[in-house]
Each structure stands twice: as C-alpha cells, then as structure tokens.
Amino acid sequence: MRKAAAKQTSSPGCIPIPTPPGHSLQPQQTPLGTSRQASTRPVRRGEAGNQGMSAGDMFDAVCSGKSAMVALVDEWLDSYKQSREAGLLELINFIVQCCGCKGVVTRDMFDNMQNAEIISSLTNEFREGSENYPLCTPGPQWKRFKAGLCEFVRVLVRSCQNSLLYDEYLFSSLMALLTGMSDSQVRAFRHTSTLLAMKLMTGVMEVAVILSTQLQISQRRYYLENRKNAQDRASARLEVLQATISELQENREELSSLMNATFRGVFVHRYRDHLPEVRAVCIAELGKWLSEDPEDFLNDGNLKYLGWTLNDKQSPVRLQCVLALQSLYQEKDFIGRLELFTSRFKERMLSMVLDKDPDVAVEMVHLLLLIHQKTEGGLQDEECGRIYPLVFASHRGLASAAGSFLYNNIKKVIASDYQESWTTVGPNVAFFNILVSFYIQSEFQQHGVYLVDSLWDVAGSELRDWETMTTLLLQDDGLSDAEEGALIELMMCAIKRAAEGFPPVGRTQGKKILNMKDKKIQAQDRRRITTHFINLIPQLLAKYSVDEEKVCLLLEAPFHFDLEMYSSSKPLEKHLDLLVSQVCGIVKKHSEARVLEACARLVPALCSDCYTFSTRTHLAFSQLLDGLTECFNTYLDDLLQGTADEEDMYRAALALKRIATFNRAMDLKRWKLFNPCLDVLQSNVVRDLDNEVELLQLKKEVRLFYSVCQTCLSLDQAEIRDQAFELLCDVVLLYSPGSVRSQTLAQPPPDSLRSEMASFVMDYIFTGCEDDHFTGVNEEMTIATFQRKHNQLAGYCKLVIYGALDLSAATDVFKHYSKYHKEFGDIIKETLSKSRLINPVQSAKTVCLSLQQLFSEMISEKPDEQELGEIRGLAKRLAMSFGTNLHRVRKSLVALHMDGMRFAFRDPKEGELQHLNLAFLEILSDFTFKVLHQDRAQLSAFLKAECPSAALSWPSVRMYQRSLEGSSSKPRQEEGGGEKESSTLSPPINPTAKRRKTTAQDSVSSAQRISWMDSSSIHGSLLSPALTSTVLLEQTKPQASTHPRDTDFNESSGLLEPDSEDEFDEGLSLIEENNVEAEEHKIENVQSISDEEFSPILPVFKVTAAPTDLFVSLAQAQI
C-alpha cells in the first residue's frame, strides 16, 4: 500500500489521475448562477441517481461563508461514495474555480490527460493579464473566502480520517494535482494550490498525531496484557491489540509517506517563492507542524527554514516566522531542541528589534522575552541593553513590548537581590530604586513621559503608588540629588498619564477619545491624586524651592488636581493658602524665566471664577504684584535720572521681569505701568518727544510706540531689535483700519516705519538661513534662530494679508520665494494664496513688481546670465502658484503681462540706454503657458502696439512673441536666438552684508496705497489674527520644537497650516519639470467667499487701549 502511494505521488506532473474501471460519468449541465465558462465538454450533474454537490455550488457556499462546512463536506462525500471519479472531478473543478480560472476540467481531460497537460490546458484558458483572483480580490464578498476555504480543507480531512484518507486514491490524486499546480507560472494557481496543499498537510499532520497517540495507548495495553501470567493472559485480546497496532502503524506510515511527499514536493520549493504571500503561508504552516508534531518535525533540519526566513525581505513573511518561533519557545519541553537554533540565530533576532516594520519588531521583543525567561542562560546584559532603549520609541506597541521586557527584568532582579529587604521597605521601593537608576543611566533623559507610558500597561499599579514616591522624596536621606530629580520627573509623568488617560504626543493615532470605562478610571485616578497630593505638594515645594528643575516639575501637579476639593472643607482651604504662599515665595526667590513662567501658568487655574476660592487666590497674587511694582517704582527715579548703579538696575530689571511674566495671566492695567515703562524707554532711547494734547493721548501713545520701536530697529542689540519688530507687527495690526472698532482710532504706520520694517525683513530675516543645517554644537541655538525668523516673517506677512500694509510690501517677500523656499516656502506660499483671495488682479501685479525689482537690481549692477536664470526660475515657481483653473485667474494673468510689457518698453530715463528692459520679456514668457488662447491674441496686439518697430527683431521680443503664438499649455524651452537658459534653479546666494534701506521710491505712494486698500475686500471681512510677539495674554506657552518644520504656524502667525514638507518638495519638483498638472490648492474667486468662510483661526481681539503690557517686556529688556 505504501509503495503504491509513493509511486502515485512521486511524479505528479506526468502520471494521470487514476480512474478505477467499471465507472462512467454522464455529462452534467452547468448550474445557473456560476461563473464557470463551459468548455468543449462541460461538467454536468452526475448520473440520474447522483444528486451530489457541483463545483459551482461548493464555490458559492465557501464564498458566502454562511453554510455549515460539515454539511457541505458530508454532501460532497455522499456524491463521492456514489461515484468517486465524478466526485473527485467536481472537487478538482472546485479547486480550479477557487483559483479564479474560467476553464473546466472535462471528463475527457480527466480520463486521457496527464496532470501537467491538464494544468497547461487550464493555463491557456486563464484570462491573460488577470491579477485578481479570489485569494487576493478586495471587497467584502471575498473577506471570508480564505477562511472558508481553509475550513473546508480541515473539515474534509477530519471527515475522512477513518476511511478515505487511506484509500490510496482521493488524497493521493488530489495532492498530486496540487503539487503540479504549485509549480505553475500562473500566480493564482501557485498561490491557491500552495495554500490548499499546506492546509491539507496540516490536517493530515493532526490526524497523524491522533494516530500516534492511539498507537502508544495500544502498545501500552498490549505490553501490560502480555506481562500477565499465562493463565490470566487473554490471547484473544492480545490478537485484537496486535491487529490494532499493525493497522495503526500501517496508517501512520501511510500518512508519513503522504506528508513527506507534500513537504518535498510543495514546501521545499514554495517557501522561497518570489510571492511573499506564498512564502508566508508556508512558514505559518511550518510553525504549526513544529509545535503540534515535534516528534516528526522539530529538528534542526526543519528549524533551518525558520532561521533562513528571518532574513526575508518582506515583513509579512518575517512576521509569520517570528510568530512560529514564539509558539516553540513557549513550550518548556522544546527548549533543549532549540539550543543550536538559538545560538546560531540569536544575533539576527536581536537585530530585528529595529525592524523597519513595527509589527515585526514588537513580536520579536516578545520572542526575546520568552527566550530570556525560558532558556537556561537567557540573554546577557549587553544583549538586554539593545532592547531597553526601545521604551523611548515613538511606536507605542514597540515601546510597550520593550516596557514589558524591562519590567520583567526589574522583577527578576528584585526577586533575586531585594527579597530580604521586602519586609522593611516593600517591593515598590526596590522597583523605584531600579527604575530611577535605569532612567539616569539612559541616554534619553528628559523623556520620562515616554518611559512611564511604556511601563503603564504592565506596571500601572507600581506607577500609581504615590505614597511610596512621596515618602522617598520627603525623607531626609536616602536619595541623591540626581535620583530625587529623576524620581520627581517620573512621578509627575505618572500623574499626568493617570489624570489625562492618553498616551503622550507622538504615540497616539487619530482622535483622543475615551470610552466610559476609561473615563471612570480617569476620574478615580484624578480624585486619588488630589486626595494624596493636596497636603503634600506644599511640603514638596518648600523642600525643593531653591532647585529650578524640581520646582518647575512640581508646579505642574495642581493642573491635574480636582480643584473643587479645595472648597469642600475648611482644612483643605488651609492647604490652598499654603500652596499659594509657596508659589509667591518661589516667584520672589527665582529669576529664571522657566520658573517664573511655571508660576504664571498656575495663576489662571487658581484664579478661575468657576471656583469659590478664586477671590482669595486673586488677592494673594495681587499683593505679590503690589510688592513687585513697589520695588520697581523704588528705583524708577534713579533710572530716569541716570544715577542708578548696577545693583539698582539689576533689582529693577528683575522686578520688571517678574511682572512681565505675570502679564500672561493677569490684567496689569490697574498697576499703570505704561507711563513708567515708556519713560524708561525714552530716557535710554528717545529723550525728546513732543507732548500731545490729552484728547489725542491714545494716538500719541501709539505714535510714540512706533517711534521708539523704529529707533530700536536700528540698535545693535539683537534681543531688543527682534522684540521691537515683533511688537510692531502686533501693534500695527491692532491699529489697522480693519481691526479697530472706529476708524478714528486707526493709526497706520508712517512711510518711514514701513521702509524700516521692510529693511529689517531684508537684513535680518532673509539672510544666513541657507547656511543653517541644524547640526553641530549650537544646534539648539540654530533651531531657535530659525523659529524666531519664521515667526517674524509670519508676523510681517500678516500685516499684508490683513490690510495693515499694502500688497506692494509683499514684493520683498515674493522675490525670495525661490532662494529661501526650504526655510520660508510655506509662509510665502500661503501669503500668495491669501493675497490672491483679497485682490486677484493686484496680487498678480505685485508678483510682476517683485520680478521687476529683481530685474532692475540685476541691470543696475552687472547683467549676468546666471542671475537672469535665477529670476526665470523664480518666475516659473510663481507661475505655478496660479493653479490649474485658468479661467479664474484670467484677468490676473492678462494684467500681469500688460504690466510686464509696459515695464519692458518704458521710455528710458536720462542717461540710460535704449530698450534696457527688453530682456524682461524672457522672464514674462514663463507666465505665458497659463494664459488662455483667447487672451493671447489680445496680448499679441498689445505687444505690437507697445513695442517699437525697431525692437521687433530683437531675440527677447521674438521669444516672447513665439510663446504667445504657441499652442502648448506648458512652458516651452527656447532654443533659438543663440540664447541659453538654465533649466534648474541656482543655489541660494548670500545677500550683501550692507543694510538695504527701502526708500519711498521702491513703494507706492500714499494715494496709491489708499486706492489699493479701497479696492480690496479686506475691510469688515477679516477678524483679527493671532499676535506675533511672545508677550501675549495667554495661559499656556507651546513647547519649543526640535525641528524647524514642527513650528506651530497657526499659533505664531495666524495663517493657515502650510502643506507638509513632502508635499512642498513634490510640488517643487513638478514646477522644475514645467508640469502644469502640479498639485496646487484651488484659489477661490474673492467674490464667492463669504465672511464666515474667510475667518481667522483665533477669536476676535479688539483694541480699546494702548499696548501697556507689551511695553513692560520691552522696557525690561532695555534695562
């Protein structure tokens, strides 16, 4: 019997499917509703008495997933028992249909053709170019197909385990066909047949395991019976047991032969198939064989396939390999057989914790934890050290897995080294000692929030042990200064994690939504935190009041309290008084900005009107400000007279610094600090200012502010100069006609201030950025400088967008779009978009004006081919900003071309050469591809009217004229005229170091400015944006980013969030390739946008008084 089976499965490609004699099969009719294509002899229902399942019915039942597989298999087995060749033919056609093939195996093919010939015939009928087949077809109807097909195979093997599995016909023939199909070049055949073959072998393996168990039981019974005395021994029973053992051994050998043929015929070839789906199926099933039948499969010869697959290029295959290994290492009995594998592939497994697929890395960490726990030697300390840093990973699943690994190792150390001390200090004390030591020694300090989150799922109870942590902190000795700081940081991170219920930033995906259970846990944790810390936080603040780092951390605790508890009883109000007293004392002790800001952030929370104790806390902080103001006024006279020494100046500046910190949390009007601060500024910067009448006091103060800040813009002190510019951006915006309630309060900046601000943009923003690479020793300083420039440019662009400055002021920004696109491309792009919404025609003219200014600068110095190419590159970039809807920008483009032609043909001034600006037409030609064909005739006529007859033959004019006459919708590369133009943008060039003043000639006159603003749609439609300076009345301050692209553009500039860097770079590449179909935001027509649709991000901020609070910070910096 075994020889027959071996002969039948040894060469599946050339041996025909055996057909027993004496059986015939009548033609069947293809059932309705199936998708099989009828061949020459379609498969029909069986004989008149055979009403079994057809291939189409079986396929539909498996696809639907609603039919019971046991009933489906039983029905097919009934038809197979009536006519096994007909039943086998239906099963073969079912497999063919599962492959997605339209062909059908007919009876003639079944009787007369080899397996290879049948597969070849089906391959010819397979639809060419078909990439989708049931196993990989998307859609809800195919979701359950794979699971249903696998279940069908499993039930089939189970139903045949006592009879048909050993008939040397059904499974031998089926496995021979599947082996041949697994070698096919057709992906659908290879994938489907491999899956079926592997599932069949898994089912056969399960039956073989059952047979092995039965064989062992029978052999034990035979041995026990045979040991009895001759008179007690039952010879009939021995004969029955001997027959049973022989039958089981024969069946077991039969199954072993079938499994061996399948393993060598399918698995050995397909585990390295070029399709990752096929490889993943093989490795997944191999893991089942190794774990469920270790006697036959768990050996080094089969384990090598898992080791080799660890290096697979596709992550799904590696994932299946890791999951298979997890099932092996979970069994303690298998560890001895895995020693050689562990030593051989441990290094590879350790490297896979950094796998590019996070899912693979997560499972590998779990696998290494099993190896560390189950194996005798475990992992060495150096090997564990390669896993520990993953607790700081951004992927939460990987970090949690690493946290579980770290937690188990900590528990292991506690169990071995700290067991004797449990009775005195408790296990959590040892836990925190080890955790603090680990955190201090790690290279990722100041990221304790990620460490706590990584341990939260496995060590949540330990991290919520507030009593142990505060006991360790309040004891006089026991912890070093570094250990106390680390423990405080971890404690505050745990408090925040418990109170908020969310993972930290970077570890969440999607919206942060808590279910009812999580909300209940969060509320309970918040009450426990408040109950425990409400009386201990003043003690902790008192102990660590002189330590800057520790105080800043501890001041975050009240934000996570249930502050209503302070008003629940009088003893708790006493703790509130102690807390406020400690905060005021910290303000008086410290001069560091971060400590003062931490105290200031706490003031609005404690002084909120929603609490009954707000009056008491507000009174306490008001008394603090009274003392600070009195201290400042004590030295004011000496400061104004110039008689103050260094110590007096230091004390006054320190008092003013503390007051300035509180202007974010409290209204400082009642302390009347504006005039003293202004006097300090006047005494040091501007001493003679004309007094105005009291009726115009407000305007006088604004003008004085303009004058003082304008003078500060020329100082050599960068801190004062930068803050003066930021404050100017705020005040000019607040007193612009579009922001004030009454136009009588409007105070537009004078032309000299406009020129000074434009010069600041040119001299201190658009300079030096191209040399910053955010690397080296001063990386943090470089990032801070970039963020400051980013913020300042955003503030200046706001003035243009909201009508405080006319659109012509944007020329100094637009002309740097190409050179500084990496640094400020997002802001400039948004400014272009918003200016086009305000006034499309004037925006286009501003774009043209910026190019004219660059061209004039080039002509005035020395005409250079490279500079002309750079200007043309900028023109191409600006042209792409008009978008793809050319009908909406039709008037704008026509106006741009007309202005450009007027500039090119303008009459020369006295002493200038004729036709000096004709080369500007080459720059203008880069906008031609955006002009509609019906407008090109108009522009051609305008060109002939403006161009002198003598200049029509000039190369620049001919080039521009050809661009208007061309029919292409893309920019054309000119090759004639002996001219050569650059196809790529040149690298940024450092501007000259000299200060470039923007004179009145560079800007439009006041009359033009008024006409521009009247023609715009800005009045009454735009709400006030966010302020630019850092001295705002806000309760929280955004954390500094560690990457320039992470700057919060919304909060710093009031503009919309820019596109991502990848999108921006993609658009840039499309621009450089002159691709008109580049991805651009559609620019809506200004007439179609309502006031509600064009509203800023932050709420309205109306001006009712002079910027007193802003002066406090500037005066403090001046002192």
Side-chain angles (χ1 to χ4, degrees):
M1 186 181 297
R2 292 193 299 272
K3 293 182 179 179
K7 179 179 178 181
Q8 210 160 18
T9 58
S10 60
S11 181
C14 60
I15 296 180
I17 299 175
T19 304
H23 293 273
S24 61
L25 183 68
Q26 295 182 356
Q28 297 179 356
Q29 184 177 359
T30 304
L32 297 178
T34 62
S35 58
R36 291 186 291 110
Q37 178 182 353
S39 67
T40 308
R41 290 187 60 188
V43 178
R44 303 179 183 273
R45 292 274 183 189
E47 300 173 352
N50 183 12
Q51 300 296 330
M53 291 286 291
S54 67
D57 295 336
M58 297 166 64
F59 180 79
D60 294 338
V62 172
C63 286
S64 65
K66 299 179 181 179
S67 302
M69 288 299 166
V70 175
L72 179 64
V73 172
D74 288 344
E75 189 173 353
W76 176 83
L77 286 176
D78 292 339
S79 64
Y80 176 79
K81 292 175 181 178
Q82 295 179 18
S83 176
R84 64 178 187 175
E85 72 276 6
L88 179 59
L89 184 60
E90 291 294 343
L91 185 60
I92 291 174
N93 280 296
F94 165 70
I95 296 173
V96 171
Q97 193 167 354
C98 289
C99 296
C101 180
K102 299 296 182 180
V104 176
V105 179
T106 65
R107 183 55 184 271
D108 288 342
M109 298 167 61
F110 184 79
D111 291 339
N112 303 318
M113 297 177 65
Q114 304 286 342
N115 285 343
E117 295 173 342
I118 293 176
I119 296 171
S120 177
S121 177
L122 293 174
T123 302
N124 295 332
E125 295 186 21
F126 203 90
R127 186 172 53 188
E128 296 184 0
S130 177
E131 296 181 356
N132 289 336
Y133 50 95
L135 284 181
C136 69
T137 301
Q141 60 179 343
W142 303 106
K143 283 184 178 180
R144 296 182 296 270
F145 174 78
K146 181 178 180 180
L149 184 60
C150 297
E151 179 67 13
F152 176 83
V153 174
R154 188 188 69 83
V155 174
L156 176 63
V157 176
R158 285 293 181 92
S159 301
C160 301
Q161 64 179 341
N162 296 323
S163 56
L164 298 179
L165 191 57
Y166 317 105
D167 67 349
E168 300 185 11
Y169 176 72
L170 174 60
F171 285 91
S172 298
S173 303
L174 184 61
M175 197 61 72
L177 179 66
L178 293 176
T179 304
M181 293 177 66
S182 66
D183 289 331
S184 173
Q185 296 296 322
V186 179
R187 171 179 175 175
F189 283 163
R190 198 166 65 253
H191 186 187
T192 308
S193 61
T194 302
L195 175 65
L196 291 173
M198 295 295 98
K199 291 297 180 180
L200 276 173
M201 183 170 173
T202 301
V204 172
M205 178 271 302
E206 293 174 352
V207 176
V209 172
I210 296 175
L211 288 180
S212 298
T213 304
Q214 294 175 352
L215 180 60
Q216 291 177 1
I217 294 174
S218 299
Q219 288 175 342
R220 190 180 304 113
R221 289 177 179 175
Y222 180 86
Y223 173 75
L224 293 175
E225 187 68 25
N226 194 35
R227 287 184 59 187
K228 295 180 180 179
N229 298 327
Q231 58 272 22
D232 297 332
R233 186 183 309 157
S235 32
R237 179 176 175 80
L238 287 176
E239 292 177 0
V240 172
L241 290 174
Q242 184 62 44
T244 303
I245 292 173
S246 300
E247 182 182 1
L248 291 174
Q249 288 177 343
E250 186 177 357
N251 291 341
R252 185 66 176 83
E253 292 177 0
E254 183 77 18
L255 296 183
S256 298
S257 176
L258 183 61
M259 289 190 296
N260 184 62
T262 306
F263 188 86
R264 296 182 180 277
V266 180
F267 176 85
V268 172
H269 300 287
R270 298 279 70 80
Y271 89 94
R272 52 186 178 182
D273 193 281
H274 73 277
L275 291 179
E277 296 88 351
V278 176
R279 301 199 300 272
V281 167
C282 294
I283 296 303
E285 297 306 311
L286 176 61
K288 295 181 181 179
W289 307 337
L290 293 172
S291 60
E292 296 181 15
D293 190 7
E295 298 300 328
D296 293 331
F297 289 95
L298 188 55
N299 52 62
D300 295 333
N302 292 332
L303 286 172
K304 65 183 180 183
Y305 297 112
L306 293 180
W308 293 342
T309 315
L310 288 173
N311 296 279
D312 197 281
K313 294 182 179 180
Q314 298 297 324
S315 59
V317 184
R318 298 196 302 272
L319 179 60
Q320 292 297 331
C321 182
V322 175
L323 293 176
L325 289 173
Q326 286 182 7
S327 64
L328 297 179
Y329 280 98
Q330 285 175 351
E331 299 294 334
K332 193 172 183 179
D333 297 337
F334 297 167
I335 300 301
R337 304 186 187 186
L338 295 170
E339 289 182 358
L340 180 61
F341 177 87
T342 304
S343 61
R344 173 64 179 82
F345 294 102
K346 182 192 289 187
E347 183 62 29
R348 172 56 185 164
M349 289 189 286
L350 287 170
S351 65
M352 288 181 67
V353 298
L354 300 178
D355 195 278
K356 64 179 181 180
D357 188 343
D359 295 334
V360 177
V362 169
E363 298 302 331
M364 181 52 70
V365 173
H366 290 316
L367 174 60
L368 290 172
L369 177 58
L370 289 173
I371 294 175
H372 189 53
Q373 292 176 336
K374 302 292 184 178
T375 58
E376 183 177 356
L379 299 179
Q380 302 299 322
D381 293 340
E382 295 181 357
E383 296 170 340
C384 294
R386 299 169 63 174
I387 304 175
Y388 293 151
L390 297 177
V391 297
F392 300 99
S394 59
H395 189 273
R396 191 171 190 276
L398 179 58
S400 298
S404 179
F405 186 91
L406 174 62
Y407 177 76
N408 280 275
N409 277 2
I410 292 177
K411 285 297 184 180
K412 185 177 180 180
V413 173
I414 293 175
S416 59
D417 299 340
Y418 289 82
Q419 191 170 7
E420 296 180 356
S421 61
W422 279 10
T423 56
T424 56
V425 299
N428 286 350
V429 174
F431 173 82
F432 286 117
N433 286 332
I434 299 175
L435 184 62
V436 167
S437 299
F438 167 79
Y439 184 55
I440 294 175
Q441 296 173 10
S442 67
E443 300 177 357
F444 302 92
Q445 295 187 24
Q446 299 180 351
H447 292 84
V449 62
Y450 295 99
L451 174 60
V452 170
D453 181 66
S454 301
L455 294 167
W456 195 254
D457 294 336
V458 293
S461 59
E462 288 86 348
L463 293 174
R464 288 185 176 94
D465 189 0
W466 321 118
E467 184 177 358
T468 300
M469 287 187 277
T470 52
T471 301
L472 290 173
L473 291 173
L474 291 175
Q475 65 184 5
D476 295 334
D477 53 358
L479 297 178
S480 64
D481 182 70
E483 291 174 340
E484 288 178 342
L487 182 57
I488 290 176
E489 182 178 356
L490 294 177
M491 181 182 70
M492 296 310 303
C493 293
I495 291 175
K496 182 178 180 180
R497 181 66 175 82
E500 294 181 354
F502 295 113
V505 177
R507 286 190 178 175
T508 56
Q509 295 181 354
K511 296 183 179 179
K512 298 179 179 179
I513 301 177
L514 293 177
N515 53 34
M516 295 302 297
K517 180 180 178 181
D518 293 336
K519 289 182 179 179
K520 184 177 180 180
I521 296 175
Q522 179 191 15
Q524 293 176 352
D525 287 339
R526 203 176 187 93
R527 286 194 297 269
R528 292 170 183 168
I529 291 170
T530 307
T531 303
H532 180 75
F533 283 95
I534 200 169
N535 62 333
L536 293 179
I537 197 67
Q539 301 178 33
L540 292 172
L541 288 174
K543 180 177 180 179
Y544 300 104
S545 60
V546 296
D547 193 304
E548 175 187 352
E549 296 288 340
K550 299 182 180 66
V551 163
C552 289
L553 291 171
L554 291 172
L555 287 173
E556 296 292 329
F559 289 103
H560 307 294
F561 288 178
D562 183 5
L563 296 178
E564 288 286 355
M565 294 185 64
Y566 278 116
S567 57
S568 61
S569 62
K570 289 187 178 181
L572 294 181
E573 292 181 358
K574 184 184 299 184
H575 296 307
L576 175 63
D577 295 337
L578 292 175
L579 174 62
V580 174
S581 176
Q582 288 297 330
V583 173
C584 295
I586 291 171
V587 172
K588 296 176 182 179
K589 290 179 181 179
H590 288 270
S591 60
E592 297 84 1
R594 56 177 304 190
V595 178
L596 297 177
E597 290 172 359
C599 295
R601 285 196 299 269
L602 192 58
V603 172
L606 297 178
C607 296
S608 177
D609 295 335
C610 62
Y611 303 120
T612 57
F613 55 79
S614 60
T615 305
R616 302 174 59 183
T617 55
H618 193 277
L619 177 61
F621 289 119
S622 297
Q623 292 174 353
L624 173 64
L625 285 175
D626 290 340
L628 295 175
T629 305
E630 183 180 357
C631 179
F632 171 69
N633 291 331
T634 302
Y635 303 101
L636 180 61
D637 294 337
D638 294 339
L639 290 174
L640 296 178
Q641 296 174 7
T643 59
D645 55 14
E646 292 184 1
E647 184 177 356
D648 294 340
M649 294 180 64
Y650 171 77
R651 293 181 181 275
L654 184 58
L656 202 57
K657 180 179 181 180
R658 291 166 175 164
I659 295 173
T661 306
F662 275 86
N663 68 29
R664 299 179 178 87
M666 302 180 65
D667 187 0
L668 302 182
K669 292 192 186 76
R670 55 170 289 193
W671 284 275
K672 299 179 180 180
L673 293 169
F674 177 81
N675 288 328
C677 293
L678 182 60
D679 293 338
V680 172
L681 291 173
Q682 288 175 316
S683 64
N684 289 275
V685 183
V686 183
R687 295 186 178 276
D688 298 325
L689 293 176
D690 296 334
N691 294 325
E692 299 289 336
V693 294
E694 293 183 1
L695 184 63
L696 301 176
Q697 181 66 24
L698 181 60
K699 287 192 174 183
K700 167 198 168 184
E701 292 178 352
V702 175
R703 286 193 295 269
L704 288 177
F705 182 83
Y706 285 165
S707 177
V708 171
C709 290
Q710 182 177 348
T711 306
C712 291
L713 292 180
S714 303
L715 297 178
D716 294 334
Q717 296 174 305
E719 182 179 358
I720 297 177
R721 183 178 63 234
D722 293 337
Q723 196 166 33
F725 181 81
E726 294 172 2
L727 293 175
L728 271 174
C729 291
D730 289 339
V731 177
V732 170
L733 181 63
L734 292 175
Y735 287 92
S736 64
S739 299
V740 295
R741 295 178 178 177
S742 175
Q743 293 299 319
T744 58
L745 293 176
Q747 190 67 36
D751 290 341
S752 59
L753 180 57
R754 297 170 187 264
S755 301
E756 195 73 32
M757 294 181 71
S759 300
F760 182 93
V761 172
M762 300 289 290
D763 294 339
Y764 301 111
I765 296 180
F766 290 116
T767 178
C769 291
E770 64 271 19
D771 296 331
D772 298 339
H773 301 290
F774 309 107
T775 57
V777 180
N778 297 325
E779 179 181 356
E780 294 183 1
M781 184 179 301
T782 303
I783 295 175
T785 301
F786 173 81
Q787 291 177 338
R788 174 177 50 78
K789 291 184 178 182
H790 199 273
N791 190 39
Q792 290 170 349
L793 180 62
Y796 185 79
C797 291
K798 279 191 303 184
L799 300 181
V800 177
I801 292 175
Y802 288 92
L805 299 178
D806 49 68
L807 287 179
S808 66
T811 56
D812 293 327
V813 178
F814 293 164
K815 66 176 65 174
H816 295 93
Y817 190 22
S818 178
K819 184 182 294 185
Y820 292 92
H821 73 275
K822 290 184 179 180
E823 293 83 5
F824 309 113
D826 49 358
I827 300 179
I828 301 176
K829 180 181 178 180
E830 190 66 26
T831 306
L832 279 167
S833 176
K834 293 299 183 183
S835 66
R836 197 166 293 117
L837 289 173
I838 295 172
N839 194 322
V841 175
Q842 199 60 55
S843 175
K845 291 184 176 182
T846 304
V847 170
C848 185
L849 179 60
S850 63
L851 296 173
Q852 292 174 14
Q853 292 180 1
L854 287 176
F855 184 83
S856 299
E857 293 176 5
M858 181 190 69
I859 295 298
S860 62
E861 296 175 357
K862 183 179 180 182
D864 183 73
E865 193 74 22
Q866 182 179 0
E867 290 189 25
L868 181 60
E870 294 175 3
I871 300 176
R872 291 200 63 181
L874 173 62
K876 293 175 183 178
R877 191 182 302 277
L878 293 172
M880 294 306 301
S881 67
F882 282 89
T884 57
N885 194 338
L886 303 183
H887 290 279
R888 291 188 176 182
V889 295
R890 180 177 179 182
K891 294 181 180 179
S892 306
L893 289 170
V894 171
L896 183 146
H897 279 269
M898 287 185 174
D899 272 14
M901 284 187 278
R902 293 190 187 100
F903 175 77
F905 300 121
R906 70 175 177 85
D907 296 333
K909 296 181 180 180
E910 191 173 338
E912 289 184 349
L913 299 176
Q914 288 286 338
H915 310 305
L916 190 62
N917 296 336
L918 281 182
F920 186 76
L921 294 177
E922 298 182 22
I923 301 172
L924 200 61
S925 64
D926 292 315
F927 293 89
T928 307
F929 75 100
K930 290 285 186 180
V931 180
L932 296 178
H933 295 293
Q934 53 267 39
D935 294 331
R936 296 189 182 189
Q938 177 185 354
L939 293 178
S940 297
F942 187 81
L943 175 65
K944 294 178 182 178
E946 291 288 329
C947 180
S949 57
L952 286 174
S953 60
W954 281 46
S956 299
V957 179
R958 291 203 315 271
M959 176 182 177
Y960 181 65
Q961 194 169 13
R962 285 196 303 271
S963 68
L964 291 175
E965 295 173 355
S967 58
S968 174
S969 63
K970 297 183 179 181
R972 301 176 57 183
Q973 301 292 336
E974 300 294 339
E975 299 177 356
E979 300 175 358
K980 182 176 70 173
E981 59 184 82
S982 175
S983 61
T984 58
L985 301 178
S986 59
I989 300 177
N990 289 328
T992 55
K994 64 180 181 180
R995 184 171 173 81
R996 292 180 286 181
K997 290 282 187 179
T998 305
T999 61
Q1001 296 177 356
D1002 295 331
S1003 60
V1004 296
S1005 62
S1006 300
Q1008 290 174 326
R1009 184 183 309 115
I1010 294 174
S1011 64
W1012 281 24
M1013 297 179 67
D1014 292 340
S1015 63
S1016 69
S1017 61
I1018 193 172
H1019 297 291
S1021 63
L1022 289 180
L1023 300 178
S1024 300
L1027 299 181
T1028 304
S1029 67
T1030 58
V1031 285
L1032 305 180
L1033 292 174
E1034 58 185 5
Q1035 298 182 6
T1036 59
K1037 180 179 179 182
Q1039 297 179 354
S1041 174
T1042 59
H1043 193 278
R1045 293 292 307 175
D1046 294 335
T1047 305
D1048 194 344
F1049 193 60
N1050 280 342
E1051 296 183 2
S1052 64
S1053 67
L1055 301 179
L1056 297 179
E1057 183 71 15
D1059 294 340
S1060 66
E1061 188 172 0
D1062 294 338
E1063 293 173 348
F1064 184 80
D1065 292 339
E1066 179 183 0
L1068 176 58
S1069 64
L1070 293 175
I1071 290 173
E1072 293 175 348
E1073 295 172 2
N1074 300 324
N1075 191 345
V1076 181
E1077 302 300 327
E1079 293 277 335
E1080 291 288 342
H1081 291 294
K1082 293 185 177 179
I1083 302 174
E1084 301 291 340
N1085 196 342
V1086 69
Q1087 286 86 4
S1088 65
I1089 296 182
S1090 63
D1091 297 344
E1092 295 180 356
E1093 295 173 336
F1094 195 88
S1095 60
I1097 296 172
L1098 296 184
V1100 182
F1101 190 99
K1102 294 299 181 181
V1103 178
T1104 57
T1108 306
D1109 299 335
L1110 304 182
F1111 255 131
V1112 175
S1113 181
L1114 188 60
Q1116 180 266 329
Q1118 178 62 37
I1119 295 177

